[in-house]
Every structure is written in C-alpha cells, then in structure tokens.
Amino acid sequence: MTKQHKLHPLAMLLFFLKLMKDSIWLVISGAIFIGSFDVNTLLPEQLHASSVIFVLLFLLVIITVFGLISWLKWQRFRYMIHPDALQITQGIIVRHDRTIKTKNIHSMNVNQHIFHQVFNLAHLKIETAGSDVNVDGELKAIDFELARRLKYQFTNDLPLDDVTALTTSHLMEDDKEDVWHSSIYRLLAAGMTTGRIGTLLAIAAVIPSELSSYLPEDIYQASESWVLKQSIVVWVVLVTIYLIFMIAIGVVSFMLKYGQFTLRREGDYLIVKHGLIEKKETQLH
C-alpha cells in the first residue's frame, strides 16, 4: 500500500508568508483604522492605552491566527506517490482529494527559495493541461532529491514510485550532459535593455518632485538651495551618478532573477534553470 507523506515543517512558514502576502492590504487597512480610531471610548478607564498598543495587539492577533491556520494546513496536508499518479489530500474543514495522473501532467517545475536552500528542500509545482491553476498540484517543501527524481522519472516516462530507477549519481551525471550556459555578458546586455530599466528611469524622474511631500521643509529647502548654487558640471555629474545608480538597481535585480541561466534538452522537454537567490527550474514541452 502506498504510504502517505507529510510536507517538511518549513511548509508552515511558506503557508504563513502566502497568507500575509494575500492579506497584506487588509492587514495594513486594519492597522490604519485601529490607529486612527479612538478605541479607548469603547473600554473602561483601567484599560485605556495609546493607539500604538492597540495596533500592536491587532498585529499580534493577526500573526497568531495566520500561524494557527498555517499549522492546520500543514497538519492536514498529505501526498501519496503512485506509479502513474500523484495523490494530494488537503483542506482544514473541507477535505479535497485530488489524483493527478502522469498522462495529464504538462510539466513539473522545481523551484528553490532561499528558505528551501538552507534545508536542501524544493518546491515542486505540477502543471496540468487544464487552464484552472487552482486544480494543479503543489508540494511546497519536499526533499530536493525527491523533487528532482520525480521530475526526471516523469520526463523519462518512468514509474514515479520506483525509487531504484534513479540514483543521486545518475542525477549528477545527467547534469554533465550537453548544457547551454548564458554568458555574463549576455546577461548584462539583457539586464541593460530590459523593460524594467525604463520603469526605474521613470521612477527616478518622479522621485525628486515628490521629495517635498516627505522630507521636512527645512531639510528640503536647504538641499534645494545647495543644488541651485552648484555649477553645471556638478549638476551633470550628480544626475549621471543618479541615473547610473537607478540603472544598476535594474541590472542587479535582473541578474538575481536570471543569473546562472542554463538550457538543456531532456527527452521531449527543454529544461530551463535560472536564479541566484531564488532558483527556478522550468520544463517546456
């Protein structure tokens, strides 16, 4: 009988971060409302406190609730590996049992966030031929070698649960096959011409005009007076340094996302790998 598996406990943190990301504007709106509303009018005099205390209590309640939900999601999540399918059971109140047949799988993508790399784990994303992303499968925190083995055995049409079909040494040998690597010069050229550079330059043009709204008036006026007293040469140098800094931000962010870009063929698939901090591995049929 196929054994049920649990995700690594790191999945609790990933569930929590996703909840915070999906609810960030609701949390910010709640904190602003509580901070601007006089809660003391609803409480006896013995419980009166500053608005900062109530905002901190609100955030503490949110963190506690989200933490409990994340623990329950991790506790109730199970997956089973069959020869020709992956079965995923999840849900806190309403249980969802989904079996994904290998014949319906379009691709398996192995990603590693910074947290995954610390524990040698991976996020296995299973994409099916359907268009509804809510019915696809995700194993947010499983052993890295297991994720690679499942992907390799799916790509090569091998039974998913055959642990003897592939060894770690086989995976290492597979990495030495013909692989195309993007050079650092190509990545720099792509980073310099990417659309994000134009966006950052547009932001760079807007920031100086908006500083008066955020800086204290005396500091802004002193800075403006100093700039107006400088020569044209100093202006050109300062503007050039400012633009170079903004362009460098765009190039660095591009390099972090697409650094170590490699491409290789595996069976009927192209395997694309990239990323310095968050490592992504994508299959293209």
Side-chain angles (χ1 to χ4, degrees):
M1 184 175 180
T2 304
K3 180 182 177 182
Q4 286 191 336
H5 304 276
K6 293 179 64 174
L7 298 176
H8 189 276
L10 176 69
M12 285 186 285
L13 175 61
L14 301 178
F15 286 137
F16 177 83
L17 293 177
K18 188 176 188 305
L19 283 172
M20 289 297 295
K21 179 182 176 181
D22 294 340
S23 309
I24 186 64
W25 292 114
L26 180 62
V27 173
I28 292 176
S29 301
I32 293 174
F33 173 77
I34 293 176
S36 59
F37 181 73
D38 189 5
V39 182
N40 291 322
T41 58
L42 305 176
L43 299 174
E45 186 175 354
Q46 296 85 350
L47 299 178
H48 285 190
S50 67
S51 59
V52 176
I53 299 298
F54 292 117
V55 170
L56 292 177
L57 288 174
F58 169 75
L59 295 177
L60 180 61
V61 170
I62 291 294
I63 291 173
T64 302
V65 172
F66 282 5
L68 178 60
I69 293 174
S70 301
W71 179 81
L72 288 173
K73 290 181 70 173
W74 170 75
Q75 189 68 28
R76 301 278 285 170
F77 193 103
R78 296 290 188 276
Y79 68 94
M80 298 173 64
I81 303 173
H82 302 281
D84 61 343
L86 280 172
Q87 182 180 354
I88 298 176
T89 305
Q90 58 185 322
I92 298 176
I93 298 176
V94 180
R95 301 287 284 169
H96 300 279
D97 193 339
R98 173 168 168 76
T99 300
I100 307 174
K101 294 286 187 180
T102 52
K103 64 181 180 180
N104 296 327
I105 296 176
H106 182 71
S107 65
M108 286 187 180
N109 300 325
V110 180
N111 300 330
Q112 278 190 304
H113 296 281
I114 188 66
F115 299 114
H116 289 114
Q117 296 174 45
V118 173
F119 299 99
N120 195 33
L121 302 173
H123 174 190
L124 181 66
K125 186 174 181 180
I126 304 154
E127 297 182 350
T128 61
S131 59
D132 188 357
V133 295
N134 293 322
V135 301
D136 292 351
E138 282 187 309
L139 302 179
K140 286 186 173 293
I142 63 174
D143 183 74
F144 178 59
E145 294 299 331
L146 173 60
R148 295 192 66 193
R149 180 179 290 114
L150 288 173
K151 183 189 75 66
Y152 184 92
Q153 292 178 193
F154 159 71
T155 304
N156 291 275
D157 199 23
L158 299 172
L160 295 182
D161 66 341
D162 187 0
V163 296
T164 63
L166 189 66
T167 62
T168 303
S169 60
H170 194 166
L171 284 171
M172 297 297 291
E173 290 174 3
D174 175 68
D175 285 341
K176 296 177 182 178
E177 293 179 358
D178 189 22
V179 179
W180 183 83
H181 298 268
S182 179
S183 67
I184 185 67
Y185 305 107
R186 287 177 180 269
L187 289 171
L188 287 174
M192 290 289 292
T193 56
T194 184
R196 69 183 66 193
I197 297 297
T199 303
L200 286 170
L201 291 179
I203 295 174
V206 173
I207 288 177
S209 63
E210 296 295 325
L211 288 177
S212 58
S213 304
Y214 300 98
L215 291 177
E217 186 175 355
D218 53 341
I219 295 178
Y220 180 81
Q221 290 180 350
S223 302
E224 183 182 36
S225 176
W226 180 85
V227 170
L228 293 175
K229 291 179 181 179
Q230 304 308 308
S231 64
I232 297 297
V233 175
V234 175
W235 279 20
V236 171
V237 171
L238 291 177
V239 170
T240 302
I241 293 174
Y242 180 56
L243 293 178
I244 290 175
F245 176 73
M246 297 301 291
I247 292 173
I249 292 176
V251 172
V252 169
S253 64
F254 183 89
M255 293 291 289
L256 291 176
K257 184 175 182 180
Y258 293 104
Q260 296 182 344
F261 188 97
T262 62
L263 179 67
R264 66 182 171 86
R265 179 170 178 170
E266 186 177 295
D268 293 330
Y269 293 86
L270 286 177
I271 309 299
V272 181
K273 294 182 180 181
H274 61 84
L276 296 179
I277 295 179
E278 180 183 353
K279 299 180 178 180
K280 291 191 174 183
E281 182 175 329
T282 307
Q283 283 183 326
L284 303 175
H285 196 277

